[in-house]
Amino acid sequence: MTTNNKMMNEKGFSAKTETIDEIIFDCMKPKKLTDDQNNLVLAFKRSVEKEIEERNDNRNWAIREIPLIIPNVDLAYQREVRNSEVAKIVNKFDINKVEVKSASIRKVNGKWRIFLMDGAHTLSVLLFMKAMGYPVDSMVVKLFVGLTQAQEADLFATQNEGHTNIRGYERYKADLCAQHKNALNIDRVLKEFGLTTKVNYNTSINRNRNVNAIEELYRIEKTGGEDALRFVFSIIQRLGWGSQEMAYTQRILAGLRSVYKPIQDNPEKESLLVHGMKVCGSCKQFLDEAQGTDKYEGHPAEKVRAYLNGLIK
């Protein structure tokens, strides 16, 4: 698999190309270090140990910038690198979004080695960017000393326990602040239809006209921008369900998103959809009908989508 090299070269990178397969293969291979590189690893170990001793705060790591050619990836506990994930990051590469990863200095066969505990995809991306001519030679890591392989694996497995993942409404709030087009489109259409959504943990909201499924709003906007959002909300209003509590749940929104493109600019199909949903009465009755039918297979959300698509055929 190769990335879009035309896109790369338009950014001023060199014409030299290497496939992601080749980069990942090299990234995963055990590193054979020169004497100078071995001495550099030892210097990192000593400098980290010195900083740890001076801080005396129970941390056994320090931030360091290490050359890309030095770290190993231990596949005994690391995720295997996926070409598609590397390609996705490469094609939207932004050096300012590269996170600080974790690494460990551990002795193997009598020699000190640096092992990436997390960040094999990041290392592969940076190596590929370097091969394409991007001026990057190093990565910033939280460098541990004194860990065994088992302790490295434990830290890798439990790395998410110390923080919470960003929630949908937190992403939306940040996107609004950053003036991102998708969030501005969502905000504009929500206001147009008199709807609210959460932007803080304790946001005061209109319970019956509030859209909690913020990630689904992003998917709708991605499908067709403001027009897709207006389509979804206008269908709910035409049904008279606008003030019903379940009208703006993920399953309703995702279901309507699935029929947006088939119905687009087709009033006859739109009328079939509205009529077919309205005969169920309320939003809750529609969901009970769509999720309970034996006509379609799959989990409830899949059944709702299939049911709606069946109405317009």
Side-chain angles (χ1 to χ4, degrees):
M1 178 179 182
T2 59
T3 60
N4 185 341
N5 291 319
K6 182 175 183 295
M7 180 277 292
M8 293 291 185
N9 293 334
E10 285 173 351
K11 289 190 174 182
F13 299 162
S14 70
K16 176 185 176 183
T17 61
E18 288 187 56
T19 66
I20 287 181
D21 284 328
E22 291 170 334
I23 293 293
I24 292 176
F25 180 76
D26 287 341
C27 179
M28 296 297 105
K29 286 193 306 185
K31 300 296 187 296
K32 294 182 179 179
L33 303 183
T34 65
D35 289 342
D36 286 344
Q37 290 167 343
N38 281 321
N39 290 334
L40 181 59
V41 172
L42 183 58
F44 276 125
K45 175 181 178 292
R46 288 170 175 167
S47 72
V48 171
E49 288 174 333
K50 182 179 179 181
E51 183 173 329
I52 290 171
E53 184 179 356
E54 290 173 350
R55 281 199 316 253
N56 192 29
D57 60 2
N58 294 322
R59 278 183 287 180
N60 60 340
W61 56 266
I63 297 295
R64 291 293 183 271
E65 189 168 352
I66 62 173
L68 297 178
I69 58 173
I70 286 181
N72 290 273
V73 176
D74 193 337
L75 291 176
Y77 60 83
Q78 267 268 17
R79 289 170 290 203
E80 289 194 15
V81 176
R82 297 175 59 185
N83 296 27
S84 59
E85 290 298 316
V86 173
K88 186 191 305 182
I89 301 169
V90 163
N91 284 326
K92 294 185 178 180
F93 181 75
D94 183 344
I95 191 66
N96 294 307
K97 293 182 180 178
V98 177
E99 298 177 344
V100 176
K101 297 300 181 178
S102 296
S104 171
I105 296 180
R106 166 165 47 95
K107 185 174 278 190
V108 177
N109 296 327
K111 294 185 178 180
W112 294 102
R113 293 286 182 262
I114 294 180
F115 290 90
L116 264 186
M117 294 157 53
D118 177 42
H121 284 86
T122 298
L123 177 60
S124 299
V125 167
L126 293 175
L127 287 169
F128 187 87
M129 297 305 294
K130 177 178 171 62
M132 293 299 297
Y134 192 92
V136 59
D137 294 296
S138 59
M139 65 187 298
V140 178
V141 297
K142 187 163 71 169
L143 190 56
F144 288 79
V145 294
L147 298 181
T148 64
Q149 183 191 48
Q151 289 171 325
E152 291 172 8
D154 179 67
L155 280 174
F156 174 78
T158 60
Q159 61 185 303
N160 291 327
E161 291 181 356
H163 64 84
T164 58
N165 293 325
I166 187 169
R167 297 171 176 85
Y169 67 83
E170 293 168 332
R171 173 195 174 189
Y172 179 58
K173 177 183 177 182
D175 281 344
L176 282 175
C177 182
Q179 298 286 290
H180 288 169
K181 183 179 178 181
N182 52 1
L184 294 175
N185 286 345
I186 292 170
D187 181 60
R188 188 177 300 113
V189 178
L190 284 173
K191 289 176 179 175
E192 186 179 313
F193 282 82
L195 300 170
T196 56
T197 192
K198 194 174 187 177
V199 292
N200 283 304
Y201 178 74
N202 59 351
T203 298
S204 178
I205 56 176
N206 180 348
R207 180 175 175 81
N208 291 329
R209 296 184 64 82
N210 179 68
V211 186
N212 272 330
I214 188 68
E215 292 295 347
E216 187 57 43
L217 294 184
Y218 275 100
R219 287 188 280 269
I220 295 169
E221 196 279 337
K222 185 177 181 180
T223 299
E226 291 184 43
D227 288 342
L229 289 162
R230 289 192 181 96
F231 166 79
V232 169
F233 295 149
S234 66
I235 293 294
I236 293 172
Q237 289 199 353
R238 284 180 63 185
L239 290 166
W241 295 354
S243 61
Q244 295 183 24
E245 190 172 332
M246 300 184 72
Y248 300 103
T249 57
Q250 191 274 338
R251 288 179 186 175
I252 293 290
L253 297 179
L256 291 174
R257 171 173 57 86
S258 74
V259 296
Y260 167 69
K261 288 189 175 180
I263 284 180
Q264 198 172 13
D265 302 322
N266 191 324
E268 184 178 343
K269 283 190 174 183
E270 186 170 328
S271 295
L272 286 173
L273 176 74
V274 172
H275 175 74
M277 296 178 75
K278 187 172 281 188
V279 296
C280 293
S282 69
C283 179
K284 182 180 184 306
Q285 289 170 324
F286 164 75
L287 284 173
D288 289 343
E289 168 69 19
Q291 295 171 156
T293 183
D294 293 328
K295 186 176 180 180
Y296 303 108
E297 296 181 350
H299 58 69
E302 290 175 325
K303 285 189 172 184
V304 171
R305 291 194 292 271
Y307 190 98
L308 289 175
N309 279 272
L311 292 177
I312 61 175
K313 289 182 178 178

